[in-house]
Amino acid sequence: MMEKMIFGRYIPVDSPLHKMDPRAKLLTIIIFIAVVFLADNTLTYGLLAIFTLAAIWLSNIPIKFLFNGLKFLFWIILFTFFLHIFFTKEGDLLYKFGFIEIYQGGLRQGIFISLRFFFLLLVTSLLTLTTTPIEITDGIESLLKPLKKVGFPVHELSLMISIALRFIPTLMDETDKIMKAQMARGVDFSEGTIKQRAKAVVPLLIPLFINAFKRAEELATAMEARGYRGGEGRTKYRLLKWGMIDNIAILTLFILTILLLLLR
Amino acid sequence: MFLAKSVRLAFVFRGEMKSMAKEIVRFQDVTFKYDENASYALNGVNFSVYEGEWLAIVGHNGSGKSTIAKLMNGLIFPDSGSIYVNGKEISEETVWDVRDLVGMVFQNPDNQFVGTTVQDDVAFGLENHGIPREEMVKRVHDSLAKVKMDQFLNQEPHHLSGGQKQRVAIASVLALRPAIIILDEATSMLDPRGRSEVLGTVRELKNLNNLTIISITHDLEEAVKADRLIVMNRGTVYAEGTPADIFLMDEKLVELGLDIPFTQKLIKKFKENGYHIPDEILHEDKLVDYLCKLLQKI
Amino acid sequence: MQIVTKDLEYVYQKGTPFEKRALFHINVTIPSHSYTAVIGHTGSGKSTLLQHLNGLLQPTGGEIRIGDLTVTSEKKGKGLKGIRQKVGIVFQFPEHQLFEETVEKDICFGPMNFGATEEEARQQAKTALKLVGLSEELLNKSPFDLSGGQMRRVAIAGVLAMNPDILVLDEPTAGLDPRGRTEIMEMFYQLYQEKGISIVLVTHSMEEASKYADSIIIMHKGTVYKKGTPKEIFSSPAELIDLGLDVPESVRFQLKLEDKIGKEIAEPSLSIDELVENIFAYIKRVNEK
């Protein structure tokens, strides 16, 4: 189940979207999230659909793969859809069965809201699919840089995120190991009442925390030994490159916004 | 008996070394406790390290050898006594200069990998030192090439073997151009292949860059290849000398929780069986040569 | 109790793009009261095999019979929990699994999971602590206040307290100093001899394998490359060296010497004593001619 989920996973292929500057991608998404709410008729929703499809096409990620991976989220969309169909009572009555009444306005609203949700999901998952977590971190750090002046710990935050990202697989491995060691000592993680299961987690969590603290301490020592003394005076190895493609992306979004404003 | 002899030899040896090479690290009456109530981790430790040598510090777990490593890099400070690196005493003021000179490779390959990829990890130390980017790129590539990890620039740590991670750690240290590299049990968590990978790399680098290597270990096969050995026991320097001197201690080493290298065990067995092997034969290759001549003569 | 695998096969993340085959057609038998060493590189599949021995992993093909219980890809087998009591696994760096407030509670954890009463468990904890060579005074201490070597022993005691018939050891001496290493290995050997249990030892050390095991399994790229007694395994040392594996020091040294003189001295010697004996015997033989 976990293996098939693609939300939050990076797919290393070559594509124009992969080549984009993470800052441009982050900006594009922020603007997109805002302008999605401008659409209110078939034409504007059509524009959003074209934009989304174009983005998917440019990402080189097979559409089937994308949809399969997002399958579990479709239930949420379906739920929103029915919520609107049953509870929005506007326009002509289309269908009536017992206490169920479906109105034209409800159907329309249901479709539009679901589509909006759907577009947002697709575009945001494109970000994580085409950008490595560390690039996203770099992008966020760079975009937040102005906040440094008001004392916001931008460097510390981004270092924290990047170390967390680096240690996720290590800690996953460790969880697996400790789980197996405790299973070998008779712990059953998959059976029993909720109370029993909660109790079974203790022999997993305590060693995990103790080891994590030990790791943190050793890592801090290793960082200090390599001359880490805070963000002051540090240079940066990872380079973000703003290119033509990023200009085009921002321009496209600008045009999209104007069109949406004109056509709504 | 053996001890007295080896210590005497050590002094002679030190005298020779002094005239040949510059002293680069000195421990003078160093005492250290981790905790008020704990026993001494180090108690009155004196020794010197000379430029360009490979010094192995051996001892059982808890003998104080890892404390020495941490003191040498100013990660902890002595309770009394002084430590000099390149003539400068380590103190709160000089600690960052000292760290520029002394690079450390630690035991756990995972817990010293800071970057998300191989090249980011090597760059981390350079970023800390404010090295300009073009220079960083050059040094990252150079040092990774030296440890033969330049094919793995964008690899993430969880896809690397323990030996590969330790080689990246060495590259990270190397990029900072230190004069001394301390290996703090850097091979103890590796499999035999990883171990020989790492030691081979260090040996090559030492010869190439005139580095001083201090390896802290309980692996006597690693120690036998060093220029000089210090044996630690319960927080004190128990003996000091060339591998030849130290391995004359024989059973004494086992009592100290250590072992005797294979070649020495074999020589001993021959002696027990009434066959005397000349004292100057220490290394396996020499012993093979000697036995070969012996066997061909008959 | 005996363990037999028949065409055992294991694939990680089966049915996904990340599918990875770790074991191919493994046929091995671990007889009752035996000492088996499993040797191979990191990634040779030995850890995967080991996790099948008490049903932590379920084969994706073939079967494994653990005592009376058969586990296949379809059938997980009832009584798997009982099997975990009979087959105890000491994982690498077992001190990482300690979690209780006191040494006693931690050792009692396993036995109590398998239905022992508190009284029984305490008794077993005492016995187990003695077996690993620690004093009873430690029972009420926190395991986290102990030295690294002591923590390792407490963790091993936690597995021994379950009274397993088969003890599976995954590099139990990793990171220990030479004395700690010898002590722990001798302790396991004593258990094997006195308590009649079986031992499966996963190790990188050919010295340990040739000294203690009565049979050796060599894993390579997910298959059993070779199995046999230490004598059989090390009879063709060059082959093992080609695989990038070590051979015992005495074997390696003998090989080097034989290469140099261009003649065979004797069968490969598995210990220093044997090596010296063989060299003397060779000298004697040549002199007689």
Side-chain angles (χ1 to χ4, degrees):
Chain A
M1 148 88 197
M2 284 299 276
E3 286 100 28
K4 282 184 185 139
M5 201 170 93
I6 59 157
F7 199 69
R9 206 171 211 175
Y10 173 71
I11 308 291
V13 289
D14 196 24
S15 85
L17 277 202
H18 282 78
K19 281 202 191 82
M20 266 176 77
D21 188 309
R23 286 171 297 185
K25 280 192 259 193
L26 283 164
L27 282 175
T28 314
I29 282 175
I30 294 167
I31 302 172
F32 185 78
I33 290 172
V35 300
V36 155
F37 293 94
L38 290 176
D40 64 352
N41 56 32
T42 320
L43 199 57
T44 43
Y45 270 102
L47 269 176
L48 288 179
I50 292 170
F51 177 84
T52 311
L53 286 173
I56 294 173
W57 181 67
L58 283 172
S59 74
N60 254 351
I61 288 170
I63 240 176
K64 212 178 132 199
F65 184 67
L66 191 65
F67 279 62
N68 270 337
L70 292 174
K71 234 182 225 160
F72 77 102
L73 289 170
F74 289 167
W75 292 105
I76 304 173
I77 296 177
L78 218 62
F79 178 72
T80 344
F81 177 69
F82 282 112
L83 213 63
H84 280 281
I85 277 200
F86 295 141
F87 293 103
T88 313
K89 299 187 157 84
E90 282 167 20
D92 302 333
L93 183 67
L94 294 177
Y95 181 76
K96 189 171 158 49
F97 181 81
F99 64 93
I100 297 172
E101 294 171 334
I102 295 174
Y103 291 88
Q104 195 202 353
L107 184 64
R108 192 184 144 88
Q109 195 72 356
I111 291 173
F112 279 174
I113 301 279
S114 309
L115 271 178
R116 188 184 285 172
F117 203 10
F118 187 48
F119 292 151
L120 284 177
L121 266 178
L122 282 175
V123 172
T124 41
S125 33
L126 276 183
L127 172 73
T128 53
L129 284 167
T130 64
T131 326
T132 58
I134 189 69
E135 277 180 314
I136 298 180
T137 315
D138 286 340
I140 293 173
E141 184 185 3
S142 175
L143 289 176
L144 291 182
K145 220 184 248 160
L147 289 181
K148 239 185 203 167
K149 288 205 182 78
V150 295
F152 187 78
V154 178
H155 160 74
E156 284 75 10
L157 183 73
S158 83
L159 185 71
M160 249 167 61
I161 299 176
S162 83
I163 288 177
L165 290 171
R166 135 90 190 85
F167 274 95
I168 285 172
T170 313
L171 292 177
M172 297 269 268
D173 277 356
E174 189 151 294
T175 310
D176 184 60
K177 264 186 214 151
I178 297 172
M179 232 169 125
K180 281 186 172 143
Q182 306 298 28
M183 278 161 81
R185 289 211 281 169
V187 177
D188 207 330
F189 288 102
S190 57
E191 274 165 34
T193 61
I194 292 187
K195 205 181 148 201
Q196 283 170 328
R197 280 201 214 185
K199 228 180 133 194
V201 177
V202 175
L204 171 65
L205 283 186
I206 292 180
L208 207 56
F209 272 111
I210 288 175
N211 292 342
F213 280 125
K214 197 168 161 242
R215 275 186 201 286
E217 205 182 306
E218 287 185 17
L219 187 73
T221 307
M223 284 167 66
E224 213 182 309
R226 280 205 250 156
Y228 181 72
R229 31 196 324 196
E232 229 27 63
R234 280 187 105 229
T235 42
K236 203 139 171 54
Y237 181 70
R238 305 188 64 87
L239 203 59
L240 297 175
K241 269 199 203 117
W242 190 279
M244 201 46 176
I245 186 165
D246 303 300
N247 288 332
I248 295 171
I250 298 291
L251 190 68
T252 314
L253 224 57
F254 186 64
I255 295 170
L256 180 73
T257 313
I258 291 177
L259 285 175
L260 286 176
L261 283 170
L262 289 175
L263 296 172
R264 73 194 297 249
Chain B
M1 251 307 276
F2 276 131
L3 172 67
K5 191 182 169 198
S6 65
V7 170
R8 205 168 53 242
L9 277 168
F11 275 116
V12 175
F13 185 73
R14 268 162 87 186
E16 276 171 18
M17 281 299 275
K18 258 181 203 152
S19 59
M20 273 157 42
K22 196 180 122 205
E23 181 186 71
I24 193 160
V25 177
R26 182 148 57 100
F27 270 55
Q28 202 171 299
D29 293 324
V30 172
T31 301
F32 183 81
K33 268 184 187 181
Y34 281 98
D35 193 339
E36 276 291 319
N37 309 315
S39 52
Y40 283 103
L42 289 183
N43 193 358
V45 169
N46 287 291
F47 68 88
S48 297
V49 186
Y50 301 97
E51 197 168 42
E53 73 170 332
W54 181 312
L55 173 73
I57 301 179
V58 298
H60 58 87
N61 287 346
S63 61
K65 56 190 194 315
S66 278
T67 308
I68 290 182
K70 289 196 196 110
L71 283 165
M72 230 180 269
N73 200 1
L75 292 166
I76 47 179
F77 294 98
D79 294 339
S80 69
S82 329
I83 301 158
Y84 299 90
V85 174
N86 215 11
K88 228 181 250 174
E89 183 175 354
I90 305 183
S91 65
E92 302 274 359
E93 289 82 48
T94 58
V95 67
W96 295 102
D97 301 330
V98 167
R99 283 185 195 155
D100 285 349
L101 284 173
V102 183
M104 285 192 72
V105 181
F106 297 92
Q107 180 178 24
N108 191 322
D110 260 317
N111 298 355
Q112 56 186 312
F113 206 110
V114 190
T116 37
T117 67
V118 167
Q119 56 174 334
D120 287 319
D121 189 56
V122 180
F124 177 76
L126 298 168
E127 292 178 324
N128 292 338
H129 284 81
I131 312 281
R133 188 168 186 280
E134 300 85 77
E135 172 72 13
M136 267 202 268
V137 174
K138 215 180 121 255
R139 287 208 203 172
V140 167
H141 286 83
D142 279 358
S143 43
L144 280 172
K146 279 184 187 156
V147 301
K148 303 194 181 66
M149 284 296 292
D150 45 343
Q151 299 299 311
F152 298 88
L153 281 179
N154 289 312
Q155 193 67 269
E156 289 167 13
H158 61 280
H159 291 133
L160 300 174
S161 72
Q164 288 174 325
K165 276 183 233 176
Q166 289 302 64
R167 270 151 65 201
V168 174
I170 294 170
S172 303
V173 163
L174 210 60
L176 295 169
R177 313 227 163 119
I180 306 167
I181 294 183
I182 304 178
L183 307 173
D184 186 2
E185 299 195 37
T187 61
S188 76
M189 287 178 76
L190 306 180
D191 58 14
R193 189 188 265 181
R195 199 169 301 156
S196 60
E197 239 173 62
V198 167
L199 289 177
T201 306
V202 174
R203 186 154 299 279
E204 243 170 66
L205 291 172
K206 178 190 177 288
N207 295 338
L208 226 67
N209 302 12
N210 191 35
L211 286 164
T212 306
I213 307 287
I214 301 171
S215 75
I216 287 163
T217 179
H218 51 230
D219 178 7
L220 281 226
E221 300 297 337
E222 182 179 328
V224 74
K225 289 167 189 147
D227 301 320
R228 211 156 57 89
L229 283 175
I230 288 178
V231 182
M232 292 298 295
N233 186 39
R234 296 171 181 219
T236 57
V237 175
Y238 186 86
E240 194 178 341
T242 60
D245 303 333
I246 297 296
F247 295 129
L248 282 175
M249 286 165 65
D250 198 31
E251 286 303 317
K252 197 77 208 164
L253 284 173
V254 180
E255 271 171 47
L256 293 176
L258 295 165
D259 202 359
I260 313 166
F262 173 79
T263 314
Q264 273 61 38
K265 278 189 198 153
L266 190 57
I267 291 173
K268 201 179 142 202
K269 246 304 112 30
F270 271 108
K271 281 181 187 161
E272 280 171 18
N273 281 283
Y275 241 93
H276 191 80
I277 310 255
D279 277 346
E280 63 269 20
I281 292 177
L282 282 170
H283 290 290
E284 188 180 291
D285 292 337
K286 291 267 165 60
L287 184 60
V288 170
D289 287 345
Y290 177 81
L291 287 177
C292 179
K293 278 194 198 114
L294 188 82
L295 294 181
Q296 278 164 343
K297 241 187 267 166
I298 53 172
Chain C
M1 201 165 98
Q2 141 171 311
I3 299 181
V4 183
T5 71
K6 223 171 103 191
D7 287 329
L8 179 81
E9 206 181 75
Y10 190 77
V11 184
Y12 279 100
Q13 305 199 5
K14 197 171 183 170
T16 73
F18 306 98
E19 190 172 293
K20 216 182 126 210
R21 202 161 267 270
L23 291 178
F24 302 82
H25 301 290
I26 304 289
N27 290 297
V28 291
T29 301
I30 291 155
S32 304
H33 191 45
S34 60
Y35 198 132
T36 311
V38 182
I39 285 170
H41 281 303
T42 314
S44 61
K46 56 188 194 324
S47 291
T48 312
L49 177 62
L50 175 153
Q51 290 175 40
H52 281 87
L53 299 182
N54 73 346
L56 282 175
L57 290 180
Q58 192 182 352
T60 54
E63 61 170 53
I64 177 164
R65 273 205 307 270
I66 312 164
D68 306 323
L69 185 83
T70 305
V71 184
T72 66
S73 62
E74 286 93 39
K75 215 172 62 173
K76 224 175 172 168
K78 282 207 178 98
L80 208 56
K81 196 166 169 180
I83 283 303
R84 295 204 179 134
Q85 189 236 313
K86 294 272 174 239
V87 184
I89 298 193
V90 176
F91 281 94
Q92 212 178 2
F93 301 106
E95 56 273 25
H96 290 171
Q97 73 201 35
L98 299 173
F99 73 100
E100 279 284 11
E101 295 151 58
T102 67
V103 167
E104 183 175 40
K105 278 189 186 171
D106 209 292
I107 302 178
C108 288
F109 181 68
M112 284 171 72
N113 278 330
F114 290 115
T117 63
E118 205 173 319
E119 202 36 55
E120 288 165 346
R122 283 200 176 156
Q123 207 48 50
Q124 280 162 334
K126 264 188 199 155
T127 318
L129 204 63
K130 203 182 271 168
L131 285 176
V132 297
L134 291 178
S135 101
E136 263 181 42
E137 284 159 36
L138 296 184
L139 280 174
N140 291 314
K141 279 200 167 183
S142 159
F144 302 105
D145 288 340
L146 306 179
S147 76
Q150 287 173 323
M151 282 170 83
R152 170 97 33 118
R153 282 162 195 254
V154 169
I156 292 171
V159 176
L160 290 179
M162 303 175 345
N163 282 327
D165 288 343
I166 300 176
L167 194 56
V168 181
L169 308 167
D170 188 1
E171 290 184 56
T173 60
L176 295 180
D177 59 23
R179 180 198 286 155
R181 201 168 292 177
T182 320
E183 281 174 2
I184 293 243
M185 287 315 293
E186 287 295 331
M187 172 196 97
F188 286 130
Y189 194 62
Q190 210 178 340
L191 281 175
Y192 161 69
Q193 286 184 311
E194 287 169 12
K195 297 215 121 190
I197 59 170
S198 292
I199 289 190
V200 178
L201 169 74
V202 173
T203 182
H204 284 297
S205 161
M206 299 298 162
E207 262 65 37
E208 283 174 5
S210 63
K211 187 168 172 194
Y212 297 108
D214 44 44
S215 76
I216 294 179
I217 296 172
I218 295 202
M219 300 282 299
H220 186 63
K221 293 185 175 165
T223 60
V224 173
Y225 180 80
K226 209 172 174 185
K227 53 189 173 187
T229 62
K231 264 259 162 323
E232 286 162 3
I233 292 286
F234 296 116
S235 64
S236 41
E239 191 184 7
L240 297 181
I241 293 168
D242 280 347
L243 279 190
L245 287 167
D246 282 342
V247 293
E249 296 265 24
S250 49
V251 175
R252 194 180 43 81
F253 186 90
Q254 186 180 343
L255 204 65
K256 215 164 166 179
L257 187 60
E258 286 173 346
D259 266 2
K260 189 104 187 175
I261 58 175
K263 272 180 217 135
E264 196 180 296
I265 295 172
E267 294 269 282
S269 318
L270 295 184
S271 68
I272 291 189
D273 289 340
E274 217 180 303
L275 176 62
V276 175
E277 247 169 62
N278 281 336
I279 293 177
F280 281 130
Y282 175 81
I283 294 174
K284 211 171 150 201
R285 252 194 343 264
V286 177
N287 277 343
E288 273 164 11
K289 274 183 202 167

